[in-house]
């Protein structure tokens, strides 16, 4: 993650998405949340970003946060059947 920051790669959505997924798989949910939140301020989130974070919450058994984030994603006009299935 540090290398991505230093080299400026953190501006790419795909890098942020990979970091969210990686931190989640390593059991570092707070770090995944931090990366996801950092992507939101300047519009660097896409549907994949939202899905990564929703799946992270689902994998870590934080269903209420997963559902809440899913509802926010839908409210913003993004859709995903995969996220809904993962959370349930």
């Amino acid at each position: 993650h540090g290398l991505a920051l230093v080299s400026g790669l953190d501006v790419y959505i795909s890098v942020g998405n990979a970091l969210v997924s990686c931190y989640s798989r390593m059991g570092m949910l707070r770090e995944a949340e931090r990366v996801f939140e950092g992507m939101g301020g300047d519009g660097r989130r896409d549907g994949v970003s939202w899905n990564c974070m929703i799946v992270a919450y689902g994998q870590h058994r934080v269903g209420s946060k997963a559902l809440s984030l899913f509802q926010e994603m839908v409210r913003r006009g993004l859709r995903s059947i995969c996220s809904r299935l993962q959370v349930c």
Side-chain angles (χ1 to χ4, degrees):
H1 188 176
L3 182 60
L5 290 172
V6 170
S7 58
L9 296 174
D10 61 319
V11 300
Y12 295 102
I13 294 173
S14 59
V15 172
N17 294 342
L19 288 170
V20 169
S21 291
C22 181
Y23 279 129
S24 174
R25 283 192 305 267
M26 293 181 352
M28 302 172 72
L29 187 58
R30 290 191 189 258
E31 284 299 313
E33 289 174 321
R34 190 179 67 76
V35 172
F36 179 76
E37 290 302 322
M39 295 171 69
D42 53 6
R44 288 187 297 129
R45 285 187 202 150
D46 60 7
V48 175
S49 310
W50 289 83
N51 282 314
C52 288
M53 198 65 237
I54 291 167
V55 168
Y57 285 139
Q59 290 173 337
H60 289 275
R61 302 188 189 278
V62 191
S64 60
K65 283 189 175 183
L67 288 172
S68 176
L69 194 60
F70 177 76
Q71 290 169 344
E72 176 65 18
M73 183 178 102
V74 171
R75 188 183 69 74
R76 292 180 183 219
L78 298 165
R79 300 199 183 275
S80 170
I81 291 173
C82 294
S83 293
R84 189 179 325 193
L85 295 174
Q86 289 285 338
V87 170
C88 297

